[in-house]
Short mmCIF file of all heavy atoms in Angstrom, two decimals:
data_model
loop_
_atom_site.label_atom_id
_atom_site.label_comp_id
_atom_site.label_asym_id
_atom_site.label_seq_id
_atom_site.Cartn_x
_atom_site.Cartn_y
_atom_site.Cartn_z
N ASN A 89 0.87 -1.17 0.00
CA ASN A 89 0.00 0.00 0.00
C ASN A 89 0.91 1.22 0.00
O ASN A 89 1.04 1.93 1.00
CB ASN A 89 -0.94 0.00 1.20
CG ASN A 89 -2.03 1.05 1.07
OD1 ASN A 89 -2.31 1.53 -0.03
ND2 ASN A 89 -2.62 1.46 2.18
N HIS A 90 1.59 1.42 -1.15
CA HIS A 90 2.64 2.43 -1.34
C HIS A 90 3.94 2.03 -0.67
O HIS A 90 5.00 2.36 -1.16
CB HIS A 90 2.19 3.83 -0.90
CG HIS A 90 0.92 4.28 -1.55
ND1 HIS A 90 0.81 4.51 -2.89
CD2 HIS A 90 -0.33 4.50 -1.03
CE1 HIS A 90 -0.44 4.86 -3.20
NE2 HIS A 90 -1.14 4.85 -2.08
N HIS A 91 3.86 1.34 0.45
CA HIS A 91 5.01 0.74 1.10
C HIS A 91 4.64 -0.72 1.40
O HIS A 91 3.49 -1.10 1.21
CB HIS A 91 5.38 1.48 2.39
CG HIS A 91 4.32 1.36 3.44
ND1 HIS A 91 3.16 2.10 3.42
CD2 HIS A 91 4.22 0.56 4.54
CE1 HIS A 91 2.40 1.78 4.45
NE2 HIS A 91 3.01 0.84 5.15
N ILE A 92 5.58 -1.51 1.84
CA ILE A 92 5.29 -2.90 2.16
C ILE A 92 4.70 -2.94 3.58
O ILE A 92 5.38 -2.62 4.55
CB ILE A 92 6.53 -3.77 2.04
CG1 ILE A 92 6.98 -3.86 0.58
CG2 ILE A 92 6.23 -5.18 2.58
CD1 ILE A 92 8.24 -4.69 0.36
N CYS A 93 3.44 -3.34 3.63
CA CYS A 93 2.73 -3.42 4.91
C CYS A 93 3.11 -4.70 5.67
O CYS A 93 3.26 -4.68 6.91
CB CYS A 93 1.23 -3.42 4.71
SG CYS A 93 0.62 -1.96 3.83
N CYS A 94 3.24 -5.80 4.94
CA CYS A 94 3.63 -7.08 5.51
C CYS A 94 4.03 -8.01 4.40
O CYS A 94 3.69 -7.78 3.23
CB CYS A 94 2.49 -7.67 6.36
SG CYS A 94 0.93 -7.93 5.47
N SER A 95 4.73 -9.07 4.74
CA SER A 95 5.14 -10.06 3.73
C SER A 95 5.40 -11.38 4.42
O SER A 95 5.61 -11.46 5.63
CB SER A 95 6.39 -9.59 2.98
OG SER A 95 7.50 -9.49 3.85
N GLY A 96 5.36 -12.45 3.62
CA GLY A 96 5.60 -13.79 4.14
C GLY A 96 4.85 -14.80 3.34
O GLY A 96 4.41 -14.52 2.22
N ASN A 97 4.72 -16.02 3.88
CA ASN A 97 3.93 -17.00 3.15
C ASN A 97 2.46 -16.59 3.20
O ASN A 97 2.04 -15.77 4.06
CB ASN A 97 4.17 -18.42 3.67
CG ASN A 97 3.62 -18.63 5.08
OD1 ASN A 97 2.40 -18.52 5.32
ND2 ASN A 97 4.48 -18.95 6.02
N PRO A 98 1.63 -17.08 2.28
CA PRO A 98 0.25 -16.59 2.17
C PRO A 98 -0.56 -16.68 3.48
O PRO A 98 -1.30 -15.76 3.80
CB PRO A 98 -0.35 -17.48 1.09
CG PRO A 98 0.82 -17.84 0.25
CD PRO A 98 1.95 -18.02 1.19
N ASP A 99 -0.39 -17.78 4.21
CA ASP A 99 -1.18 -17.93 5.42
C ASP A 99 -0.78 -16.91 6.48
O ASP A 99 -1.64 -16.35 7.17
CB ASP A 99 -1.01 -19.35 5.98
CG ASP A 99 -2.06 -19.69 7.00
OD1 ASP A 99 -3.26 -19.49 6.71
OD2 ASP A 99 -1.70 -20.18 8.09
N ALA A 100 0.53 -16.62 6.58
CA ALA A 100 0.98 -15.64 7.54
C ALA A 100 0.49 -14.24 7.19
O ALA A 100 0.08 -13.46 8.07
CB ALA A 100 2.52 -15.64 7.61
N VAL A 101 0.50 -13.89 5.92
CA VAL A 101 0.03 -12.58 5.49
C VAL A 101 -1.47 -12.44 5.76
O VAL A 101 -1.96 -11.41 6.22
CB VAL A 101 0.34 -12.34 3.99
CG1 VAL A 101 -0.40 -11.11 3.46
CG2 VAL A 101 1.84 -12.18 3.79
N ARG A 102 -2.21 -13.49 5.48
CA ARG A 102 -3.65 -13.45 5.70
C ARG A 102 -3.99 -13.16 7.16
O ARG A 102 -5.02 -12.52 7.44
CB ARG A 102 -4.28 -14.79 5.26
CG ARG A 102 -5.81 -14.79 5.32
CD ARG A 102 -6.38 -16.08 4.83
NE ARG A 102 -5.94 -17.22 5.62
CZ ARG A 102 -6.39 -18.46 5.44
NH1 ARG A 102 -7.26 -18.72 4.48
NH2 ARG A 102 -5.96 -19.45 6.20
N GLN A 103 -3.16 -13.61 8.07
CA GLN A 103 -3.42 -13.40 9.49
C GLN A 103 -2.81 -12.14 10.06
O GLN A 103 -3.01 -11.81 11.23
CB GLN A 103 -2.91 -14.63 10.28
CG GLN A 103 -3.60 -15.93 9.90
CD GLN A 103 -3.05 -17.13 10.66
OE1 GLN A 103 -2.91 -17.07 11.89
NE2 GLN A 103 -2.76 -18.19 9.94
N ASP A 104 -2.04 -11.41 9.21
CA ASP A 104 -1.39 -10.20 9.69
C ASP A 104 -2.41 -9.07 9.85
O ASP A 104 -3.28 -8.87 9.01
CB ASP A 104 -0.30 -9.78 8.69
CG ASP A 104 0.59 -8.69 9.21
OD1 ASP A 104 0.15 -7.51 9.20
OD2 ASP A 104 1.71 -9.00 9.63
N ALA A 105 -2.27 -8.29 10.93
CA ALA A 105 -3.22 -7.20 11.22
C ALA A 105 -3.22 -6.15 10.14
O ALA A 105 -4.27 -5.56 9.83
CB ALA A 105 -2.88 -6.57 12.57
N ASN A 106 -2.07 -5.89 9.51
CA ASN A 106 -2.01 -4.88 8.44
C ASN A 106 -2.81 -5.36 7.23
O ASN A 106 -3.52 -4.54 6.61
CB ASN A 106 -0.55 -4.65 8.04
CG ASN A 106 0.24 -3.95 9.11
OD1 ASN A 106 -0.09 -2.83 9.52
ND2 ASN A 106 1.29 -4.61 9.61
N TYR A 107 -2.70 -6.62 6.89
CA TYR A 107 -3.48 -7.16 5.77
C TYR A 107 -4.98 -7.09 6.11
O TYR A 107 -5.79 -6.69 5.28
CB TYR A 107 -3.08 -8.60 5.49
CG TYR A 107 -4.01 -9.31 4.56
CD1 TYR A 107 -3.98 -9.09 3.19
CD2 TYR A 107 -4.98 -10.19 5.05
CE1 TYR A 107 -4.88 -9.72 2.33
CE2 TYR A 107 -5.89 -10.82 4.19
CZ TYR A 107 -5.82 -10.59 2.82
OH TYR A 107 -6.68 -11.21 2.00
N GLN A 108 -5.32 -7.48 7.32
CA GLN A 108 -6.73 -7.52 7.71
C GLN A 108 -7.35 -6.13 7.73
O GLN A 108 -8.54 -5.96 7.47
CB GLN A 108 -6.89 -8.21 9.05
CG GLN A 108 -6.55 -9.69 9.00
CD GLN A 108 -6.60 -10.35 10.37
OE1 GLN A 108 -6.93 -9.72 11.38
NE2 GLN A 108 -6.25 -11.64 10.41
N SER A 109 -6.55 -5.10 8.00
CA SER A 109 -7.08 -3.74 7.98
C SER A 109 -7.34 -3.26 6.56
O SER A 109 -8.24 -2.44 6.32
CB SER A 109 -6.10 -2.78 8.69
OG SER A 109 -4.92 -2.61 7.94
N LEU A 110 -6.57 -3.77 5.60
CA LEU A 110 -6.79 -3.40 4.21
C LEU A 110 -7.88 -4.24 3.56
O LEU A 110 -8.60 -3.75 2.68
CB LEU A 110 -5.49 -3.58 3.41
CG LEU A 110 -4.37 -2.56 3.67
CD1 LEU A 110 -3.11 -3.00 2.95
CD2 LEU A 110 -4.78 -1.17 3.23
N PHE A 111 -8.00 -5.48 3.97
CA PHE A 111 -8.99 -6.40 3.43
C PHE A 111 -9.78 -7.02 4.58
O PHE A 111 -9.56 -8.18 4.96
CB PHE A 111 -8.30 -7.51 2.63
CG PHE A 111 -7.44 -7.01 1.50
CD1 PHE A 111 -6.06 -6.79 1.67
CD2 PHE A 111 -7.99 -6.72 0.25
CE1 PHE A 111 -5.28 -6.33 0.65
CE2 PHE A 111 -7.21 -6.26 -0.79
CZ PHE A 111 -5.85 -6.05 -0.59
N PRO A 112 -10.71 -6.27 5.14
CA PRO A 112 -11.39 -6.73 6.36
C PRO A 112 -12.34 -7.89 6.17
O PRO A 112 -12.68 -8.56 7.11
CB PRO A 112 -12.16 -5.48 6.83
CG PRO A 112 -12.35 -4.68 5.58
CD PRO A 112 -11.11 -4.91 4.75
N GLN A 113 -12.79 -8.12 4.95
CA GLN A 113 -13.75 -9.20 4.71
C GLN A 113 -13.38 -10.03 3.51
O GLN A 113 -12.87 -9.51 2.52
CB GLN A 113 -15.17 -8.62 4.47
CG GLN A 113 -15.75 -7.93 5.70
CD GLN A 113 -17.16 -7.40 5.41
OE1 GLN A 113 -17.50 -7.14 4.26
NE2 GLN A 113 -17.95 -7.26 6.45
N VAL A 114 -13.63 -11.31 3.63
CA VAL A 114 -13.46 -12.20 2.48
C VAL A 114 -14.66 -12.04 1.56
O VAL A 114 -15.78 -11.90 2.03
CB VAL A 114 -13.38 -13.66 2.97
CG1 VAL A 114 -13.26 -14.61 1.78
CG2 VAL A 114 -12.21 -13.84 3.92
N THR A 115 -14.43 -12.03 0.26
CA THR A 115 -15.54 -11.91 -0.67
C THR A 115 -16.52 -13.06 -0.45
O THR A 115 -16.12 -14.21 -0.38
CB THR A 115 -15.00 -12.02 -2.13
OG1 THR A 115 -14.03 -10.98 -2.31
CG2 THR A 115 -16.14 -11.83 -3.13
N PRO A 116 -17.82 -12.76 -0.27
CA PRO A 116 -18.80 -13.81 -0.01
C PRO A 116 -18.75 -14.92 -1.06
O PRO A 116 -18.68 -14.65 -2.25
CB PRO A 116 -20.14 -13.05 -0.09
CG PRO A 116 -19.79 -11.64 0.25
CD PRO A 116 -18.42 -11.43 -0.32
N GLY A 117 -18.74 -16.16 -0.55
CA GLY A 117 -18.72 -17.30 -1.44
C GLY A 117 -17.34 -17.79 -1.79
O GLY A 117 -17.18 -18.85 -2.39
N LEU A 118 -16.27 -17.02 -1.40
CA LEU A 118 -14.91 -17.44 -1.74
C LEU A 118 -14.13 -17.92 -0.54
O LEU A 118 -12.93 -18.12 -0.62
CB LEU A 118 -14.16 -16.26 -2.39
CG LEU A 118 -14.74 -15.69 -3.66
CD1 LEU A 118 -13.81 -14.61 -4.22
CD2 LEU A 118 -14.96 -16.77 -4.71
N GLU A 119 -14.80 -18.09 0.60
CA GLU A 119 -14.08 -18.39 1.82
C GLU A 119 -13.21 -19.64 1.71
O GLU A 119 -12.14 -19.72 2.29
CB GLU A 119 -15.09 -18.60 2.97
CG GLU A 119 -15.85 -17.33 3.36
CD GLU A 119 -17.10 -17.13 2.53
OE1 GLU A 119 -17.29 -17.84 1.52
OE2 GLU A 119 -17.90 -16.24 2.90
N GLY A 120 -13.68 -20.63 0.96
CA GLY A 120 -12.92 -21.87 0.88
C GLY A 120 -12.15 -22.04 -0.40
O GLY A 120 -11.61 -23.12 -0.66
N LEU A 121 -12.05 -21.02 -1.20
CA LEU A 121 -11.43 -21.17 -2.52
C LEU A 121 -9.93 -21.23 -2.43
O LEU A 121 -9.30 -20.47 -1.70
CB LEU A 121 -11.81 -19.99 -3.41
CG LEU A 121 -11.29 -20.03 -4.87
CD1 LEU A 121 -11.91 -21.21 -5.59
CD2 LEU A 121 -11.60 -18.74 -5.56
N ALA A 122 -9.34 -22.16 -3.17
CA ALA A 122 -7.89 -22.28 -3.29
C ALA A 122 -7.19 -22.31 -1.95
O ALA A 122 -6.36 -21.46 -1.64
CB ALA A 122 -7.33 -21.12 -4.16
#
């Protein structure tokens, strides 16, 4: 987000507070995708 907010393997990024503040919700219907 103009700078690197967080980085790591996908699962670690998904659980990072910085990621969650940018993407607070999973798109409905995609919770189990990939």
